[in-house]
């Protein structure tokens, strides 16, 4: 008697699956790496993207979409988690931190609801977890492989033809004339730069062809009217001061959504084929939005808000961005925009946006631009990228779309500066931004098994006496960082404290103190001690990996300042056997700048 019951249950399951497929849409994401909205449908007359332009005529095009982070791994972490990575300790490039136990990647919710979930094929998340939510994540992953043809699917196809690395590859079939390339004012207008911009646009044409191939598959399978198609690009262009730049040229992305007629009830009120939306949307919203399209209520702990589907929300007033360590170069910036003005808060103002980053320098434009800067052949706008940046920057995209005129000191814009500054501070408090904990300290805490929330409580929340004061190690670290960009009188006054901090038991405090002393102390003995300390902390695995990279960066800065390093600096091992794969190139790239 049990066997017929089982058949009945199976029949009901199949019936429910078929109904489920009819009631809920398939969702197809098509994404392309390292390019902003440089498409014909976005008004770029140099672009050759006929398929995407045609798609835009029957889709809603978002004009103010943002990637939250200007580089792939942190940006992708934002998408998959539905949360701002700084709240998870996952904001640094390839930081590889454990995911908290409560967090489910959004494909997991889709899979649990009956969707077939595929990713073809890049992941590159900063969070480590046993379940990423994919039925298949591989080069062969495809919605066609679902076991039941009536099962709804969520599928991603990610294309790398536009990736930064492709700009510097040999182009055997050039299509765009370099002489006509739109060179932004922050780049030098030289043949090498024009050639790279032309090749970048050639790559966008390849993406356009790949995109159409995926649409054709839907049509051939008869699923076009059952599938919501979303096209998006992955942060700014691979050209320098696009990718890795925390301003709008590094964060602004293309985003277009097509909702078939049968699912128009899931579209936003402003949806119109061929229309545009000025709503501020960003990568952090993609998880909640995709769940909303599938009829799944987004979890309350997600930071992102749905802009499509059953659970869509009202438009936000601001969009937020972040930048942490980029490969071998520590950095810390935060961005907020209201859609017109962009505010950037730089927490390491002693460093330029254009730090000498090995991978970025492989692009010919970057090398030529850097050489011209060193030769003193650039104007002020072109030089700014390579110079230390101020703590605060404010740009008006309406009058200055390339972000070349900093309005932060303008009395006329003081009200707007204060508004965006306050919005950013509230956002950081609300999302519990962990970036104020130096990465070596954060990694030390996580190595002990603490979650990011535990790390936040450990350093910032009320202690046993219920006094809400920052951890003294954190405060000391940031006071020393501030000295790296302070005026000489302030540095001289603080020098005794900096010298004393060379003996601090917290390694990152001692490393930062050593950089201050080595660069600014007039005491030869203290400077020598500081440099020797940095050489010592540069050794891995004796000291934590990222701590050693901070120490090596400090030695880079000292060497760049014309201060001689001891012979022992040449003995720092570039790539110890214990170096994890994700960081295998970081130490060699940073060390090569001063080792003989």
């Amino acid at each position: 008697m049990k066997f017929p019951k089982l058949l009945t249950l199976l029949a009901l399951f199949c019936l429910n699956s078929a109904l489920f497929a009819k009631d809920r849409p398939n969702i197809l994401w098509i994404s392309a790496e390292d390019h902003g909205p440089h498409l014909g449908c976005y008004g770029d007359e140099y672009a050759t993207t006929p398929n995407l332009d045609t798609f835009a005529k029957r889709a809603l095009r978002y004009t103010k979409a943002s990637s939250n982070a200007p580089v792939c791994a942190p940006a992708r972490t934002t998408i998959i988690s539905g949360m701002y990575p700084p709240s998870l300790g996952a904001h640094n490039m390839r930081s590889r931190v454990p995911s908290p136990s409560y967090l489910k990647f959004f494909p997991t919710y889709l899979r649990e609801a009956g969707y077939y979930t595929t990713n073809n094929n890049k992941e590159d998340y900063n969070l480590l977890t046993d379940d990423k939510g994919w039925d298949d994540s591989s080069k062969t992953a495809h919605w066609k492989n679902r076991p039941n043809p009536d099962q709804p699917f969520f599928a991603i196809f990610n294309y790398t033809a536009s990736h930064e690395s492709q700009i510097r590859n040999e182009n055997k079939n050039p299509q765009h004339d370099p002489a006509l390339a739109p060179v932004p004012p922050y780049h030098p207008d030289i043949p090498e730069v024009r050639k790279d911009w032309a090749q970048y646009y050639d790559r966008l044409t390849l993406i356009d062809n790949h995109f159409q191939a995926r649409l054709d598959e839907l049509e051939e399978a008869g699923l076009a009217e059952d599938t919501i198609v979303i096209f998006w690009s992955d942060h700014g262009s691979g050209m320098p001061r696009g990718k890795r730049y925390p301003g709008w040229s590094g964060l602004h992305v293309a985003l277009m959504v097509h909702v078939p007629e049968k699912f128009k009830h899931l579209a936003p009120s402003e949806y119109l084929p061929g229309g545009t939306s000025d709503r501020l949307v960003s990568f952090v919203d993609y998880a909640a939005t995709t769940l909303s399209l599938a009829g799944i209520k987004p979890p309350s702990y997600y930071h992102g808000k749905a802009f499509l589907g059953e659970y869509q929300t009202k438009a936000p007033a601001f969009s937020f961005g972040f930048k942490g360590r980029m490969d071998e170069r520590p950095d810390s910036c935060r961005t907020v925009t209201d859609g017109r003005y962009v505010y950037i808060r730089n927490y390491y103002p002693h460093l330029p946006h254009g730090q000498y980053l090995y991978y970025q320098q492989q692009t010919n434009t970057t090398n030529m631009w850097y050489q011209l800067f060193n030769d003193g052949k650039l104007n002020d706008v072109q030089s700014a990228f390579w110079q230390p940046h101020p703590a605060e920057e404010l740009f008006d995209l309406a009058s200055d779309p390339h972000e070349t005129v900093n309005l932060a000191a303008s009395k006329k814009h003081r009200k707007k500066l204060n508004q965006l500054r306050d919005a950013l501070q509230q956002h950081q408090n609300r999302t519990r931004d962990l970036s104020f904990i130096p990465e070596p300290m954060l990694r030390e805490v996580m190595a002990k098994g603490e979650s990011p929330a535990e790390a936040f409580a450990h350093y910032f929340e009320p202690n046993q006496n219920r006094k809400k004061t920052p951890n003294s190690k954190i405060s000391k670290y940031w006071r020393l960082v501030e000295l790296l960009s302070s005026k000489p009188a302030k540095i001289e006054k603080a020098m005794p404290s900096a010298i004393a901090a060379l003996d601090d038991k917290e390694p990152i405090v001692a490393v930062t103190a050593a950089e201050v002393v080595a660069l600014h102390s007039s005491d030869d003995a203290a400077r020598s001690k500081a440099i020797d300390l940095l050489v010592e902390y540069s050794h891995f695995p004796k000291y934590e990996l990222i701590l050693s990279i901070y120490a090596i960066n400090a030695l880079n800065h000292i060497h760049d300042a014309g201060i001689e390093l001891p012979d022992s600096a040449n003995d720092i091992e570039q790539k110890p056997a214990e170096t994890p794969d994700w960081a295998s190139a970081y130490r060699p790239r940073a060390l090569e700048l001063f080792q003989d």
Side-chain angles (χ1 to χ4, degrees):
M1 297 295 293
K2 291 183 179 180
F3 185 66
K5 288 183 179 180
L6 178 59
L7 289 177
T8 301
L9 288 173
L10 287 173
L12 287 173
F13 174 78
C14 292
L15 177 61
N16 287 337
S17 295
L19 290 174
F20 184 75
K22 292 178 181 178
D23 292 341
R24 300 194 184 186
N26 302 316
I27 304 169
L28 174 64
W29 283 11
I30 305 174
S31 65
E33 296 199 29
D34 296 12
H35 79 83
H38 301 109
L39 307 172
C41 54
Y42 275 87
D44 193 320
E45 296 180 356
Y46 186 63
T48 307
T49 51
N51 296 312
L52 284 162
D53 299 346
T54 299
F55 178 74
K57 293 177 181 178
R58 58 188 182 90
L60 181 65
R61 178 170 55 85
Y62 287 85
T63 64
K64 297 179 181 178
S66 161
S67 62
N68 295 117
V71 73
C72 55
R76 289 171 177 276
T77 302
T78 309
I79 291 173
I80 200 68
S81 69
M83 301 182 71
Y84 290 101
S87 72
L88 303 168
H91 48 286
N92 296 297
M93 181 63 174
R94 303 214 166 91
S95 40
R96 299 296 191 264
V97 301
S99 180
S101 58
Y102 63 81
L103 173 61
K104 283 186 179 180
F105 289 180
F106 81 90
T108 302
Y109 289 105
L110 290 167
R111 189 185 60 201
E112 291 174 350
Y115 271 76
Y116 182 69
T117 60
T118 63
N119 177 52
N120 189 331
N121 71 318
K122 185 172 181 177
E123 293 181 351
D124 204 15
Y125 315 133
N126 278 340
L127 292 169
L128 301 174
T129 182
D130 293 331
D131 183 11
K132 299 172 184 175
W134 301 117
D135 284 308
D136 188 7
S137 180
S138 69
K139 292 182 178 180
T140 59
H142 202 292
W143 52 264
K144 291 182 178 180
N145 299 330
R146 63 199 191 284
N148 180 351
D150 292 324
Q151 183 180 8
F153 63 78
F154 168 66
I156 299 177
F157 292 93
N158 179 78
Y159 289 104
T160 61
S162 52
H163 188 267
E164 171 186 11
S165 60
Q166 303 308 308
I167 294 172
R168 50 187 179 249
N169 285 353
E170 181 183 358
N171 189 359
K172 297 180 179 179
N173 185 31
Q175 299 179 44
H176 290 82
D177 184 356
L180 302 177
V183 178
Y186 48 78
H187 280 170
D189 191 347
I190 57 177
E192 293 85 354
V193 172
R194 287 187 167 277
K195 180 181 178 181
D196 283 352
W197 272 112
Q199 176 138 324
Y200 165 70
Y201 277 88
D202 283 351
R203 293 294 174 172
L204 298 188
T205 300
L206 287 178
I207 292 296
D208 187 70
N209 294 331
H210 294 324
F211 170 80
Q212 188 59 43
R214 293 304 175 193
L215 294 190
D216 291 344
E217 287 180 335
L218 284 180
E219 290 286 353
E220 292 167 4
L223 294 174
E225 295 306 311
D226 298 311
T227 306
I228 293 173
V229 178
I230 301 177
F231 172 82
W232 51 273
S233 58
D234 182 11
H235 61 72
S237 83
M239 292 290 282
R241 225 215 76 161
K243 186 175 182 178
R244 303 182 187 88
Y245 177 66
W248 199 234
S249 64
L251 299 175
H252 192 197
V253 296
L255 173 63
M256 293 185 283
V257 177
H258 171 66
V259 181
E261 186 64 35
K262 67 187 294 185
F263 295 114
K264 285 295 176 63
H265 60 285
L266 300 176
S269 59
E270 71 267 29
Y271 188 89
L272 181 69
T276 61
S277 172
D278 291 335
R279 175 180 173 132
L280 292 171
V281 298
S282 61
F283 280 8
V284 75
D285 301 318
Y286 286 17
T289 297
T290 305
L291 295 182
S292 178
L293 285 172
I296 303 167
K297 186 175 182 180
S300 59
Y301 64 86
Y302 274 14
H303 293 141
K305 305 300 180 183
F307 56 90
L308 301 167
E310 182 179 344
Y311 298 99
Q312 59 187 285
T313 63
K314 66 178 183 179
F318 305 103
S319 184
F320 301 94
F322 64 93
K323 176 184 177 181
R325 173 180 50 76
M326 295 288 109
D327 295 349
E328 72 270 21
R329 301 299 177 202
D331 209 340
S332 183
C333 306
R334 294 294 178 270
T335 304
V336 58
T337 182
D338 61 2
R340 172 175 173 176
Y341 289 92
V342 174
Y343 170 78
I344 305 175
R345 178 66 169 93
N346 300 303
Y347 293 104
Y348 290 162
H350 60 290
L351 300 176
H353 285 307
Q355 292 192 70
Y356 188 99
L357 192 78
Y358 178 88
Y359 193 78
Q360 184 172 250
Q361 292 295 140
Q362 302 312 299
T363 300
N364 202 24
T365 288
T366 317
N367 257 334
M368 296 299 297
W369 187 13
Y370 183 62
Q371 184 61 52
L372 290 171
F373 169 73
N374 287 329
D375 293 342
K377 295 181 179 180
L378 301 178
N379 60 37
D380 290 345
V381 169
Q382 295 164 346
S383 298
F385 183 67
W386 303 106
Q387 296 169 328
H389 43 58
E392 293 184 301
E393 297 174 274
L394 179 68
F395 301 104
D396 181 357
L397 296 177
S399 60
D400 179 28
H402 292 292
E403 301 163 283
T404 63
V405 181
N406 183 11
L407 303 172
S410 166
K411 292 182 180 180
K412 178 181 177 182
H413 296 88
R414 180 59 54 186
K415 183 177 179 181
K416 177 58 64 175
L417 179 77
N418 289 336
Q419 179 196 35
L420 296 180
R421 180 197 289 147
D422 291 346
L424 178 60
Q425 291 176 349
Q426 292 172 23
H427 165 76
Q428 289 179 299
N429 290 333
R430 183 172 60 251
T431 59
R432 307 175 83 170
D433 191 326
L434 291 176
S435 65
F436 295 106
I437 304 174
E439 187 179 8
M441 293 176 69
L442 192 60
R443 289 176 63 82
E444 180 182 356
V445 169
M446 292 181 175
K448 296 177 181 178
E450 290 188 78
S451 71
E454 290 170 327
F456 191 98
H458 182 74
Y459 284 113
F460 286 105
E461 292 192 340
N463 58 26
Q464 292 180 347
N465 297 322
R466 311 307 296 171
K467 293 180 180 179
K468 196 165 185 178
T469 56
N471 177 281
S472 60
K473 297 177 183 178
I474 302 291
S475 299
K476 188 179 294 185
Y477 170 78
W478 285 108
R479 286 198 298 271
L480 289 164
V481 169
E482 184 182 1
L483 289 177
L484 290 169
S485 59
S486 295
K487 294 181 179 180
K490 183 175 182 178
I491 297 173
E492 183 178 359
K493 183 177 180 181
M495 189 55 65
S497 296
I499 291 174
L502 295 176
D503 298 319
D504 200 280
K505 293 182 179 180
E506 176 55 52
I508 189 58
V509 171
V511 164
T512 310
E515 183 172 358
V516 172
V517 172
L519 287 171
H520 300 292
S521 177
S522 58
D523 185 328
D524 291 342
R527 180 187 294 116
S528 179
K529 177 180 178 180
I531 294 174
D532 287 344
L533 184 71
L534 290 172
V535 172
E536 171 64 17
Y537 276 122
S538 294
H539 291 289
F540 170 78
K542 185 176 182 179
Y543 299 99
E544 196 276 325
L545 174 63
I546 299 300
L547 175 70
S548 75
I549 290 173
Y550 269 69
I552 293 169
N553 271 269
L555 290 172
N556 279 175
H557 302 154
I558 293 163
H559 178 262
D560 290 344
I563 299 172
E564 186 176 355
L565 299 181
D567 291 340
S568 57
N570 288 318
D571 297 329
I572 301 170
E573 190 173 357
Q574 292 197 1
K575 191 176 178 181
E578 296 84 352
T579 306
D581 289 343
W582 58 268
S584 62
Y586 294 173
R587 286 172 56 85
R589 291 172 178 176
L591 284 166
E592 73 171 12
L593 297 184
F594 64 77
Q595 285 190 339
D596 293 336

